[in-house]
Amino acid sequence: MNTRKGSISVKTNDIFPIIKKWLYSEHDIFIRELVSNACDAITKRATIARSQGYEIPEGKVKVEVDKANKTIIISDNGIGMTDSEVEKYIAQLAFSGAEEFVQKMKDMGNTTAKDEIIGKFGLGFYSAFMVAEKVEVESLSMTPGSVATKWTCLGDTDYEFSDSTKSETGTTIKLYISADSEDFLDTWKLKETLTHYCDFMPYPVGVLDLSQADASEEIINETTPLWKKDPTVLTDEDYKEFYRKKFPMDQEPLFWLHLNVDHPFTLQGVLFFPKLNANKPVQENGIKLYCKQVFVSDSVKNVVPDFLGLLKGAIDSTDIPLNVSRSALQGDPNIKKISNYIIKKVAESLKKLFNTDRERYEKAWEDIGLFVKYGCMQDTKFDEIMRKYVLFKNSDSKLVTLEEYQASIPETYKEKLKEKYVYFEKNQSDESLRKQLLSEGIHVIETDQYIDPHFMQHAEMSKQGEQSFKFSAIDSEIENILETMTTTADDIKVKDFFKHVLVGENKDLEAKLDVDVKNLKNASSSAYFKVDENMKRFQQMTKSMGNSAFSMPIKKTLVVNPSNTLIKNALKIWEKGEKKELAEKICHHVQDLASLSSEGLSSEDKEKFVTRSQALVQELSQYIV
Ligand code: ADP
Ligand code: MG
């Protein structure tokens, strides 16, 4: 067999326009690239000067905008380049002087340079051509005896060198802004872009508007971000101030955590728990991602899990690639590690707050409760730490953990309620049942109809340690707890009577309603509605997922209390047979009262209830007059 090998050839003048157009999705990124190159140049000069033991001027980046001449000039007092260096680093695509410098430093025994130098790919400089039709680089190298040089390129593969009059060490890059990018010549827009990408660059970045004669330079960045500072010397006020600056529209944050890790990856950051604003939807891009103080992205979707999306702040890691495309973040193995670390840290800081400042934790619960429960459901590691610190309101409106709830159960009921959690659905469960339980010293935990059904389901399905959970609605569990007397033959009469009146031979009603009798200790009400726990859960799930097509009516049982006086009297009236109609009215009334105490009445039933109430009261008044 004949084989023939070859290699794909790439002609630069073909590929160049593609790079210009597709390398970065956002054109404004040229600012980030050129300013970070300037910072790298300053770091390099400083590193060399330090190793050779001499003084150099403070590093400084200047961005000058000249609207009249349509130019933006970015200059630094960094290492500078000779003409052969410009030829090598600038004119050679995808050749990174940064990589080379880091390697050289490493060979000389300096291992920190890799954490300080931003550049990596050797492509950043070309982003200049996304906005400029012509670029001039003037540079004077720090190497003694160097001659200044000027490189000019019109955005194609040809360039030209000429003499330069530059007298200070460093590099000046002049962009002749093309017609379709003129909005960057607007000082406001330029400042906004600079603040967006360079707000924490390591050297002061000054902006100057050359079109205004008396304009003064404005420094747009903070060279030492909060997260790079030693947390032990920072005060609460420092964090709050940082937050106010970055999120001026927000209320004061609830609390925060300072991230700082060196191994197995490097990461620093500050994350804030914002006070949620009920009138404002949760803003998703609260966390900004940095790499060596250079803004990378405000989409942390791939770095932190969904449930942490409500946090705000900044994460800085040399291991988050300063990537050419955002989607490339997804496949990065470091990202998973970083994500796990953050989840763990967040959970631990919540745990710590619970243990050291329960009051503050409880105050914040209103804002973070949903997030914590959701987090437990989304992430096993988070769940492992946080399940213990999930709070619920008890019958005294106190916030308790599930453990505390269990511990609060009176001794006599401990066996009956072992690993069981009786819940009271806000606006759904019967308040009188809660009172009945409380008179026995038994609390319930209050649940909502949004996250709690899911959380309960989750907690039941996945054990946490040895502890298992079984949640049971008050209106399905109460009879198991409070039933004391056994059902008598008279009780059965009550049941038959109610069933006859309320259901009768009606097949439709039979499918929806059943009647039972129970003698409950302390029963203060005449009747309540019992629902099957499994059916209830199913209904909750479909409801909370907004799936109304599934929400079929569930069969309910009206549990009548035969020792209640009204019930006893109703049966007597019925058995006498003279005023059967009144007895029937009472049955319906008892049913409606049970509905009113729980889910409420439909508008049709409400009308019947009102008419019947009037009739009953009128009849009653006749006996007295
Ligand atoms: P990278 O920064 O990833 O190395 P760039 O395309 O941004 O790639 O820059 C290529 C190289 O050009 C840099 O590594 C550096 O050696 C050189 N360079 C760019 N800008 C400057 C500057 N302002 N001062 C000195 N050298 C620079
Ligand atoms: Mg670069």
Side-chain angles (χ1 to χ4, degrees), residues 37 41 44 76 81 89-90 96-98 119-125 171:
N37 280 351
K44 286 176 189 167
D76 64 71
M81 288 174 277
Y89 298 135
I90 298 283
S96 171
K120 195 163 191 168
F121 301 106
L123 286 170
F125 175 80
T171 304

Side-chain angles (χ1 to χ4, degrees), residues 494-504 510 513-515:
V494 170
K495 178 172 160 174
D496 292 343
F497 155 52
F498 266 79
K499 195 153 184 178
H500 174 81
V501 175
L502 297 178
V503 183
E510 205 170 67
L513 183 70
D514 201 0
V515 177

Side-chain angles (χ1 to χ4, degrees), residues 24 32-42 44 74-81 85-86 88-101 117-127 137-139 170-173 322:
Y24 298 101
R32 180 186 87 179
E33 293 301 322
L34 297 182
V35 175
S36 65
N37 280 351
C39 289
D40 272 355
I42 295 168
K44 286 176 189 167
I74 297 164
S75 52
D76 64 71
N77 54 357
I79 189 169
M81 288 174 277
E85 280 166 341
V86 171
K88 182 173 169 190
Y89 298 135
I90 298 283
Q92 254 193 70
L93 210 59
F95 181 85
S96 171
E99 291 270 274
E100 198 190 54
F101 182 82
I117 299 293
I118 304 158
K120 195 163 191 168
F121 301 106
L123 286 170
F125 175 80
Y126 286 90
S127 60
V137 177
E138 277 193 86
S139 198
T171 304
T172 300
I173 295 177
L322 233 192

Side-chain angles (χ1 to χ4, degrees), residues 290-301:
Y290 292 81
C291 171
K292 303 174 192 181
Q293 297 175 225
V294 180
F295 172 78
V296 179
S297 164
D298 53 13
S299 163
V300 287
K301 276 211 167 66

Side-chain angles (χ1 to χ4, degrees), residues 2 96 114-115 142 156 178 219 303 434 439 456 601 623:
N2 271 335
S96 171
K114 75 168 186 347
D115 298 328
M142 76 181 283
D156 50 27
S178 47
I219 305 291
V303 185
R434 173 148 73 174
S439 69
M456 292 189 290
L601 287 172
Y623 293 104

Side-chain angles (χ1 to χ4, degrees), residues 501-542:
V501 175
L502 297 178
V503 183
E505 301 299 313
N506 189 327
K507 288 273 177 250
D508 281 351
L509 281 176
E510 205 170 67
K512 283 190 230 157
L513 183 70
D514 201 0
V515 177
D516 200 0
V517 276
K518 283 275 154 42
N519 282 294
L520 300 188
K521 198 173 178 180
N522 296 328
S524 47
S525 61
S526 47
Y528 73 91
F529 271 112
K530 180 189 163 167
V531 280
D532 179 72
E533 183 68 28
N534 292 327
M535 285 306 280
K536 188 189 192 76
R537 292 295 184 85
F538 180 71
Q539 199 196 32
Q540 282 170 337
M541 286 297 162
T542 50

